[in-house]
């Protein structure tokens, strides 16, 4: 059971890392191409791009930290 739980935690951490990367590059695209345009009724595309950029970087950092913690968890 512990092995199965470890795999689930590792996949979750990796998914958070991938989601962070997608948000980061999506935010960069919004900053570059959506200046002055409305984005899905949420506001200016550039502002939402900065939000996605910052949130994506945070998610990527959290994903990497979780992967490191879960990898070293069995050695403690």
């Amino acid at each position: 059971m512990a092995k199965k739980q470890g795999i689930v935690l590792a996949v979750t951490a990796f998914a958070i890392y991938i989601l962070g990367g997608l948000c980061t590059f999506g935010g960069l695209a919004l900053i570059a191409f959506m200046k002055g345009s409305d984005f899905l009724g949420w506001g200016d595309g550039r502002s939402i791009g900065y939000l996605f950029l910052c949130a994506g970087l945070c998610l990527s950092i959290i994903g990497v930290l979780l992967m490191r913690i879960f990898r070293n968890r069995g050695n403690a």
Side-chain angles (χ1 to χ4, degrees):
M1 185 69 181
K3 182 82 169 170
K4 191 174 186 181
Q5 182 183 11
I7 295 294
V8 170
L9 291 174
V11 169
T12 303
F14 193 63
I16 290 172
Y17 175 69
I18 295 295
L19 181 65
L22 290 173
C23 283
T24 300
F25 287 109
L28 287 174
L30 286 173
I31 292 169
F33 300 121
M34 296 287 289
K35 181 179 181 181
S37 299
D38 188 47
F39 180 72
L40 299 175
W42 293 354
D44 185 41
R46 186 172 247 180
S47 300
I48 303 299
Y50 284 121
L51 174 68
F52 280 9
L53 177 69
C54 294
L57 289 175
C58 290
L59 284 174
S60 292
I61 291 168
I62 289 170
V64 168
L65 289 175
L66 288 175
M67 283 190 276
R68 297 284 299 185
I69 289 169
F70 296 149
R71 180 173 183 246
N72 294 328
R73 201 174 84 173
N75 298 337

